[in-house]
Amino acid sequence: MKIRKLIFALLLLLPVSAFSENVTLQFFTSRGEILEKEVNASTRLLMITEAFIPRSTVDEEVFIVDVSGFDQLKDLQILNVNALNNLSNFNFIGDIENLRELYIHFCFVDSIKFLEKMKKLEIAEISMYVMEDKKELFISEQVDLSNAISLARINFHASVMNKEEDLLNFNNIPNLINVQNQPVLDIGSCGIETIGPEQRVQLKQYSQIYLWPNPIIRDELQIEALKDLNIVLK
């Protein structure tokens, strides 16, 4: 009897993940390969770097063109994607239905339309690069956040990279419409030199806007034109 009680007590001390099954994530490459990664189904926090993605059998550099399987991670609440140079399609993030916090740092991003599907997301922090020949498409693409009813903060920092791999100012705000819940917006590192009338209307969707250290903060006339917004300059 004592042995049974001891075994039962030890089982209670084990984390829930010890009883969880693994799920398979698939990464589809530009060479037609399917790279697979096993992840515990009950994972709550996940960091994705280049080391996370299985190695290709091809010696030359390959790019990840699509990702699947993240919809199986029902308990995943925090996702950190860091310094992925071979992936620019982040649509798979929209499949993570219970995600609360998203951090994308130092990645090339073609689109942030995946935010439209994220009903439970509270924090979105995107520090990204966009290629110069894709910048206009990125800027013109409206992202409708009607369904993102839990957002409390958006940190958006972007730079443009040209063919010579020089970094240029993004000089725009993210094209987000129907923003819910009046979140805080931090666009401090976008190289913003001017904010036009249409962008001023968009900025009214936020409770606070952090502009420092964008070049525009040194333009007193432009800052005066934004006086009806809750701008934070420092």
Side-chain angles (χ1 to χ4, degrees):
M1 183 64 70
K2 288 184 178 180
I3 295 177
R4 289 182 180 178
K5 289 183 177 179
L6 179 60
I7 294 174
F8 181 71
L10 290 173
L11 289 174
L12 290 177
L13 291 174
L14 288 174
V16 176
S17 59
F19 305 98
S20 300
E21 296 181 354
N22 286 343
V23 299
T24 301
L25 307 180
Q26 293 184 319
F27 299 86
F28 300 84
T29 77
S30 55
R31 302 284 296 186
E33 293 179 289
I34 302 177
L35 309 178
E36 295 187 342
K37 178 79 172 184
E38 296 288 319
V39 175
N40 192 282
S42 63
T43 296
R44 293 178 177 272
L45 186 155
L46 188 62
M47 175 176 285
I48 301 178
T49 63
E50 286 193 5
F52 177 87
I53 300 175
R55 286 187 174 274
S56 169
T57 58
V58 182
D59 292 335
E60 64 188 73
E61 185 177 12
V62 297
F63 293 91
I64 305 299
V65 296
D66 200 6
V67 181
S68 71
F70 277 80
D71 58 312
Q72 302 173 82
L73 297 176
K74 304 298 183 183
D75 295 326
L76 186 60
Q77 295 187 12
I78 302 174
L79 177 64
N80 190 325
V81 185
N82 192 43
L84 279 184
N85 294 324
N86 61 344
L87 171 67
S88 59
N89 179 358
F90 289 86
N91 290 338
F92 68 93
I93 295 177
D95 297 332
I96 310 172
E97 62 183 38
N98 291 314
L99 198 67
R100 275 15 180 223
E101 298 181 23
L102 170 64
Y103 304 92
I104 298 177
H105 294 149
F106 310 115
C107 295
F108 289 90
V109 180
D110 291 341
S111 171
I112 54 174
K113 289 283 281 186
F114 57 82
L115 291 174
E116 295 184 341
K117 300 169 64 176
M118 313 200 72
K119 295 181 179 180
K120 297 182 180 180
L121 192 66
E122 298 171 4
I123 298 173
E125 181 170 299
I126 301 174
S127 178
M128 54 163 276
Y129 308 114
V130 61
M131 293 304 297
E132 188 174 29
D133 59 351
K134 297 181 179 180
K135 176 187 173 184
E136 291 306 317
L137 179 60
F138 184 94
I139 293 171
S140 63
E141 183 178 66
Q142 290 187 327
V143 179
D144 189 338
L145 296 186
S146 300
N147 293 321
I149 58 176
S150 301
L151 267 176
R153 187 178 185 93
I154 302 170
N155 297 344
F156 180 84
H157 310 295
S159 297
V160 177
M161 182 174 287
N162 62 19
K163 293 181 179 179
E164 290 74 34
E165 298 189 355
D166 299 317
L167 288 180
L168 311 173
N169 287 340
F170 183 71
N171 194 22
N172 273 275
I173 68 172
N175 193 359
L176 309 177
I177 62 171
N178 298 322
V179 178
Q180 304 296 304
N181 207 36
Q182 288 195 305
V184 172
L185 176 67
D186 186 336
I187 46 175
S189 298
C190 290
I192 297 172
E193 300 173 0
T194 183
I195 293 178
E198 291 185 7
Q199 292 176 322
R200 286 202 294 270
V201 172
Q202 282 191 331
L203 290 177
K204 290 181 179 180
Q205 301 175 105
Y206 306 98
S207 58
Q208 284 185 315
I209 302 111
Y210 285 79
L211 278 180
W212 188 87
N214 287 298
I216 192 175
I217 67 171
R218 297 188 292 271
D219 189 324
E220 294 183 2
L221 290 178
Q222 288 207 67
I223 294 301
E224 177 65 20
L226 300 174
K227 64 182 180 181
D228 59 326
L229 303 173
N230 189 6
I231 299 292
V232 180
L233 297 177
K234 295 183 180 180

